[in-house]
Each structure stands twice: as structure tokens, then as C-alpha cells.
Amino acid sequence: MDPVALYEEARAREGGQSGHYNRNVRVDADGASFVVRMRSGTAETMDLVLWPEADVLAAIAPYVPSSPRLVHAGTAPDFQVHGFVEGRRVDDIHPDGKPLPEAVLDAVGGLFTDLLRVPPAALPPVPGHWPRDGDTTAFAGRLLDLVRTIRHRGDTATAGLYEALGVPDDPCALLRTRAATLAERPFRLLHADIHRKNMLLTAQDRVVFLDWELALWGDPVYDLADHLHKMSCTPADHATITAAWHRAAPPECREGWRDDLAYYLAYEAVKSAVVDTVRWGRRIAAEPAAAAQLVLAQELSHKLTAAVPHWATGSALPPTPQEVQSAVAHWLT
């Protein structure tokens, strides 16, 4: 197996599975199947990135059996080769808002168990600028700084769209005050992107968790909140997953966790509104079909509605779908 040859073959192909940052293409060689994972275009970074993904996968291989098998990590060009797993993405068979099968719920609980038990010494070194172990307020501060950076780095059109849709100049002002009340908890490895599109369910009911590029060293309660926000669970599945995390977490990781889970869920609502004002705005502007455009506008209006209580005081009202469409038409078309 020549990794560079696999990369060149994958790069020349159309299609594959693409996320915001990477494209994954299946390639067969020497009687085996592999996935070549490479950067996809120049997508703006909307998330914290702490380590190279390949370093994370190599480190966790002995501890997280549900992670992809890293076969090769290339530099110049930057790409990875993973072992291929035959399966279907969970979102294809159990979309957002639909109940999850027991196999997936059990696998999520198992992943949290594994993450909470990865030895810190097994992980890549943490950069010196990163918050000290247990400083949850500083960790939350990093998350808030990211959102503020995203809010202010766009061009004039993006800034105009934010203002038209009521996104405050500092959408994290209220959250920053609340962050000072977070309980201290020891840091753990976080996947930080566990959702239906990042899960492969095999015919044997095994789940493989993909996309470790956003893995962090931080507050384990944040990983639970990030997962619950992105999964769009039914109330029953929400309760099941929360209970599974609680069983998996050692006592020191559960200190003050219920109140702080609510804080991180509020953060996720704010981050989603700030990030998706850009992403959904561009999708609306590029959508020629009026009906599809309205659906996207309704989705963005819903995201903004969820964020308003966490960034505004008084009687601020979120924009209607029609107001979203009008703002996008004015600023992005």
C-alpha cells in the first residue's frame, strides 16, 4: 500500500463524504479498503483546534476502540489514511429528532466512559497557553473568545447581516459573567463533535465515532453539552445519554455538573446562532428555490430564537423567517 498513491487517487476523484473541514474518499488497494482523509477547500475555522487529528488518533488507539484506525499520516501534503469501516451514518437512518436505537445509545455511553479514562500522559502535549487542569472558568473563556472572534472577523456584509438579525456586538457578555461561577473539575479528553453525522453504525450494531479533529483537553461537562446540543435528541434519549454520562463520570468530574451543563447548553445555543448566521446566510443566498430558501430561513430563525435569552436582556425579539430572508437579500446578494 502506497499512501501517497492512495492520496493522489482520492484527490482526483469527485464526491466522497465531506464535512466543514475535510473530505473522506474510499480507495481500494492490495485487496483492502481504506479511507483517505484530506482538507476540503478553505472553510473558515469555526471551532477550537488543539492538536493534529492524526496525533490524537495514534494516542487513543489503545483506549478508545470505537475510534477510526489510523493507517498513515502524511505531511506535505497533509492527509490521513484510515481503515475502512462498512456502515451507514447514523443521521441517514435515524435523522435529527428521531429516537436512537439502543446500540447507538449504548455506544455513546461507552465512548464517554473511554474518554473519561484516557490517561493524560497518553495524549499529545498540551500547549503552554492552554488553561491549567481544572480551571473550568478559563476553559469556558476560551470557548467564549472563539465566538467573539467569529462575530467580528467577517467583512462589511457579514457585519451588516449580524446587526440586521440582532446578534449583539458581544453575544457572550452574559455568559462571560456566568462562567465565573463554574465549578472546578479535572480536565479530560473531549471529542467535542459527537453527533449523528460522525457516527457509523455497522450491520453488527457496532458504532465507530469519526472526526477527531476538534478533540480538546477540557471540562468533561462541556463534551456532554456539545453532544446533546448537536444530537437533537428526543427527551427520552436526552435523559438516557445524560444518565449514561453520569454513570461513566468519576465523582470529581461531576462536581456541580447539573448547573454547569445548563451553562454549556446556553453557550452552544449562542455559538450555533453566531456561526450559522454566516453558514445559513450563505446557504440562503445561494438557494434558488423559494421553498427551500424559506426552510433555511426558518431554521436560522429558530437558532437565533434559542440564543436570544442568553445574550439579551429586556424585550429583544428574534427575527422572523421573513425578516431573515430580507436581511440576507440585502447583505449577501
Side-chain angles (χ1 to χ4, degrees), residues 109 112 116 220-221 224 240-249 253-254 257:
F112 281 133
L116 289 160
V221 178
L224 173 61
T240 298
I241 290 168
T242 303
W245 181 92
H246 186 268
R247 288 193 301 271
C253 291
R254 301 197 305 264
W257 74 278

Side-chain angles (χ1 to χ4, degrees), residues 63-66 109-118:
Y63 307 101
V64 186
S66 58
L111 176 63
F112 281 133
T113 299
D114 293 339
L115 289 168
L116 289 160
R117 285 159 178 72
V118 174

